[in-house]
């Protein structure tokens, strides 16, 4: 029996020729990541271990992104703690406000992950880098501490589910719709403990930004990691962003898959997840009338340049619905600057959206756009759990940037096809 | 190793956002986190919970964010063990790493009601429902995990080695 690419990457990092699903192994880590919420706890634990220095100061990345720019005194204390640790440990990849961005957009952009790497991060969406053909997964602060000390982490080798994507997606269908569709199909624990491997002819229609979105959300199906086969697009991206050498691992033809799903991309419709689970999906044709108080465009899921281009493209020259709050947060400083130069920020602000500095902010109900009791938000983020964006009795609907921008014009969840065809919200027609 | 307590029963997919909402994550002080444990799913939890009490829940317990603050809040609130049908994988790891006992046992979950008095024997993997007079069998804790839990977590365990 062959191995999946995930199993091969893990085997290579454990110094083994072969591994099989269920096996417990100790794995060498190429990058250990933490943020301003999880790193303070990891530092506490690290100091208990009693090692003076981290195993490799170039293989640790610390990104204060959740409550930065510091939202209050407590957050400021937490950030001070990790800043001092980073300085003291001479951590190469510590990103201060001004250099930073949301970790999962920043790390690939900085070229810190390449195909074949093993990355762990004390943040559940560390799975994002599977889009680059790396093994990456979320862990807790204790794991981060132990990995910072020893450069290793224990894993149970995961089995796998394969998703064969064929056909070409429609104009308004992006990676977000595809992954929401899949989570709707298999459920929030549908891939528990396992790898989600994407494959098929349809991949060639999916941009890197769409793939990052998909890999980002595999955790919402309970998966250990998500992974894409390394193709020309990935290689081009990596060469553009990194000088690191990399190894391409391919799944064996006879690799074992616990399940295989065949998905026709041209049948997927723009998709929305209703409160309070990402699996509560409906196609845009089934949403009915949902009036909104807020629209949020951004996050590690959909705050990349392509997402901003789509949103600005729909909003340009129009006005957001009166009374609706539209908040856009580009995921990194580079993306922000690019959007500025391309005139996207101007289009968004002129339409009546606010644009925030890169931060996790509203995505986790941290700051910069908290919901009051009974309020409804449509967000391009990845989670719509109870209280995720604020009051426990508020509601979050998840969708793509195209649906978010279309909804920003009407104040209710809206199909982008309708906007463009009917010209709803067009300032010149009013 | 045995524990006994009253049960707080919850459904499927209890996520880390309701176990400890992100609005409290600007601190990593376990005592403060424990004061807000389960707040968004059960506002009375912290008033009612007593040392030794037990959480019983459905599938995918602890899904969502990787915050170790979640098992830490539960442990510090006094919960002695969480019994669920299944656990989300990061929560599972974190619970073991910080020394919060957890058991997977769908049969116990199906039968135990909120408020039942339950006793758990980790060495034997036996769950006894004192209120209903029934027992259920889960996988016993491997020795390594028992040692880890009595040490108070992975780091303490490693530093004692
Ligand atoms: S943007 Fe949201 S999901 Fe992404 S890392 Fe930040 S809080 Fe987590």
């Amino acid at each position: 029996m062959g191995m999946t690419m995930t199993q091969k990457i893990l085997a290579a990092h454990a110094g083994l020729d072969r591994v099989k699903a269920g096996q417990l192994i100790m794995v060498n880590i190429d990058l250990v990541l933490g943020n301003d919420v999880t790193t303070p706890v990891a530092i506490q634990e690290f100091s208990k271990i009693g090692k003076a220095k981290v195993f490799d100061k170039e293989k640790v990345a610390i990104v204060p992104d959740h409550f930065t720019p510091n939202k209050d005194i407590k957050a400021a204390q937490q950030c001070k703690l990790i800043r001092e640790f980073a300085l003291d440990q001479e951590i190469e990849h510590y990103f201060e406000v001004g250099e930073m961005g949301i970790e999962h957009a920043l790390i690939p952009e900085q070229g810190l992950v390449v195909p074949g790497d093993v990355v762990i991060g004390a943040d559940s969406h560390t799975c994002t880098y599977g889009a680059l053909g790396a093994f990456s997964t979320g862990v807790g602060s204790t794991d981060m501490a132990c990995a910072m000390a020893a450069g290793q982490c224990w894993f149970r080798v995961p089995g796998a589910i394969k998703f064969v994507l064929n056909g070409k997606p429609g104009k308004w269908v992006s990676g977000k719709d595809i992954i929401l569709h899949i989570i709707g199909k298999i459920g929030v624990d549908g891939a528990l403990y396992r790898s989600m491997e994407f494959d098929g002819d349809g991949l060639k229609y999916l941009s890197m930004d769409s793939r990052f979105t998909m890999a980002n959300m595999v955790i919402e199906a309970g998966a250990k990691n998500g992974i894409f086969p390394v193709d020309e697009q990935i290689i081009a991206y990596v060469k553009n962003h990194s000088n690191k050498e990399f190894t391409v691992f391919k799944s064996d033809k006879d690799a074992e898959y616990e399940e295989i799903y065949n998905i026709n991309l041209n049948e997927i419709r723009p998709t929305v997840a209703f409160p309070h689970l990402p699996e509560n999906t409906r196609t845009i044709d089934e949403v009915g009338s949902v009036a909104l108080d807020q629209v949020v465009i951004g996050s590690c899921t959909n705050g990349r340049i392509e997402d901003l281009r789509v949103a600005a493209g729909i909003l340009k020259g129009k006005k957001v619905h009166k009374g609706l709050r539209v908040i856009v947060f580009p995921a990194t400083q580079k993306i922000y600057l690019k959007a500025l130069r391309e005139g996207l920020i101007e289009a968004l602000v002129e339409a009546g959206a606010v644009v925030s500095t890169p931060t996790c902010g509203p995505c986790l109900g941290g700051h910069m756009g908290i919901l009051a009791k009974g309020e409804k938000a449509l967000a391009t983020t990845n989670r719509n759990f109870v209280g995720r964006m604020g009051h426990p009795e508020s509601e979050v609907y998840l969708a793509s940037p195209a649906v978010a921008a279309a909804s920003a014009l009407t104040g209710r969840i809206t199909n982008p096809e309708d906007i463009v065809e009917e010209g709803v919200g067009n300032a010149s027609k009013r | 190793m045995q524990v006994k307590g009253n049960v707080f029963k919850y459904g499927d997919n209890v996520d880390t956002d309701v176990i400890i909402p992100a609005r409290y994550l600007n601190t990593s002080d376990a005592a403060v986190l424990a004061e807000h444990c389960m707040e968004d799913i059960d506002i009375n939890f912290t008033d009612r919970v007593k040392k030794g009490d037990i959480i019983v829940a459905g599938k995918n317990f602890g899904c969502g964010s990787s915050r170790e603050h979640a098992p830490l809040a539960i442990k510090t609130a006094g919960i002695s063990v969480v019994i669920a049908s299944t656990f989300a994988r990061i929560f599972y790891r974190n619970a073991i790493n910080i020394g919060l006992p957890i058991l997977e046992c769908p049969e116990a979950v199906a039968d135990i009601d909120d408020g039942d008095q339950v006793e758990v024997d980790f060495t034997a993997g036996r769950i006894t429902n004192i209120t209903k007079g029934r027992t259920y069998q889960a996988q016993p804790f491997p020795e390594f995990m028992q040692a880890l839990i009595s040490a108070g977590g992975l780091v303490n365990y490693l530093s004692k080695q």
Side-chain angles (χ1 to χ4, degrees), chain A residues 201-250:
Chain A
D201 286 350
L203 289 184
K204 64 172 177 283
Y205 301 113
L206 302 180
S207 65
M208 282 311 298
D209 284 2
S210 260
R211 299 176 192 197
F212 282 122
T213 305
M214 290 171 66
N216 176 269
M217 285 193 74
V218 299
I219 177 69
E220 307 323 328
K224 179 172 228 152
N225 70 318
I227 200 156
F228 284 76
V230 179
D231 63 2
E232 286 158 18
Q233 263 200 78
I234 294 182
I235 289 177
Y237 181 95
V238 171
K239 292 209 166 134
N240 244 323
H241 291 84
S242 185
N243 299 321
K244 274 174 71 175
E245 303 229 331
F246 60 88
T247 318
V248 175
F249 292 87
K250 282 196 178 96

Side-chain angles (χ1 to χ4, degrees), chain A residues 35 37 65-66 102-105 123-126 128 216 220 298-302 329 331 359-366 381-383 388, chain B residues 22 65 67:
Chain A
N35 60 44
V37 168
D65 56 358
H66 279 54
I102 302 170
E103 51 198 304
H104 309 305
D123 189 279
S124 57
H125 293 104
T126 303
T128 307
N216 176 269
E220 307 323 328
S299 82
C300 62
T301 317
N302 281 117
F329 58 120
T359 177
C360 292
C363 172
L364 81 163
T381 56
N382 47 39
R383 288 195 175 129
R388 175 72 180 179
Chain B
S65 136
R67 62 191 71 154

Side-chain angles (χ1 to χ4, degrees), chain A residues 98-150:
Chain A
E99 307 161 320
M100 54 77 81
I102 302 170
E103 51 198 304
H104 309 305
L106 186 69
I107 297 296
E109 186 185 270
Q110 294 287 326
L112 298 182
V113 184
V114 294
D117 274 357
V118 169
V119 182
I120 63 164
D123 189 279
S124 57
H125 293 104
T126 303
C127 52
T128 307
Y129 324 131
L132 295 171
F135 172 83
S136 64
T137 194
V139 295
S141 297
T142 298
D143 282 318
M144 180 188 177
C146 294
M148 282 199 299

Side-chain angles (χ1 to χ4, degrees), chain A residues 37-38 40-41 44-45 48-49 67 71-72 74-75 78 122-124 137-143 146 153-155 188-189 192-193 219 224 277 364 383 385-388 390 392, chain B residues 13 15-18 21-29 32 40 59-60 63-69 72 86-90 92-94 96-98 104 154-156 158-159:
Chain A
V37 168
T38 55
V41 181
Q44 261 174 39
E45 299 303 306
K48 286 188 210 158
I49 297 171
F67 295 123
K71 111 177 162 105
D72 56 18
K74 281 182 178 170
Q78 301 258 77
D123 189 279
S124 57
T137 194
V139 295
S141 297
T142 298
D143 282 318
C146 294
C153 191
W154 64 269
F155 285 111
V188 291
D189 63 348
L192 200 61
Y193 301 126
I219 177 69
K224 179 172 228 152
L277 283 176
L364 81 163
R383 288 195 175 129
F385 300 152
V386 169
R388 175 72 180 179
Chain B
N13 304 315
D15 62 77
T16 52
D17 274 291
V18 297
R23 57 184 179 274
Y24 302 117
L25 297 184
N26 52 5
T27 179
S28 38
D29 181 337
V32 178
D40 283 1
K59 60 177 189 155
N60 206 24
C63 61
S65 136
S66 70
R67 62 191 71 154
E68 210 159 285
H69 312 63
L72 202 59
T86 56
F87 289 91
R89 63 158 282 276
I90 304 178
Y92 190 95
R93 258 190 112 86
N94 288 347
I96 292 174
N97 285 347
I98 69 149
E104 289 190 337
L154 180 62
V155 167
N156 291 343
L158 290 179
S159 53

Side-chain angles (χ1 to χ4, degrees), chain A residues 57-114:
Chain A
K57 61 190 171 60
E58 284 169 31
K59 291 187 175 173
V60 177
I62 299 178
V63 188
D65 56 358
H66 279 54
F67 295 123
T68 55
N70 302 339
K71 111 177 162 105
D72 56 18
I73 294 171
K74 281 182 178 170
Q77 292 299 135
Q78 301 258 77
C79 287
K80 184 160 181 263
L81 185 85
I82 65 175
R83 181 180 305 119
E84 287 171 356
F85 177 80
L87 269 175
D88 179 49
Q89 293 284 335
E90 301 170 311
I91 302 287
E92 197 112 328
H93 306 297
Y94 167 75
F95 298 93
E96 193 50 87
V97 166
E99 307 161 320
M100 54 77 81
I102 302 170
E103 51 198 304
H104 309 305
L106 186 69
I107 297 296
E109 186 185 270
Q110 294 287 326
L112 298 182
V113 184
V114 294

Side-chain angles (χ1 to χ4, degrees), chain A residues 340-355:
Chain A
L340 202 62
R341 289 187 177 138
E342 289 183 17
L344 310 180
I345 303 287
E346 193 177 334
L348 292 165
V349 173
E350 272 180 356
V354 296
V355 181

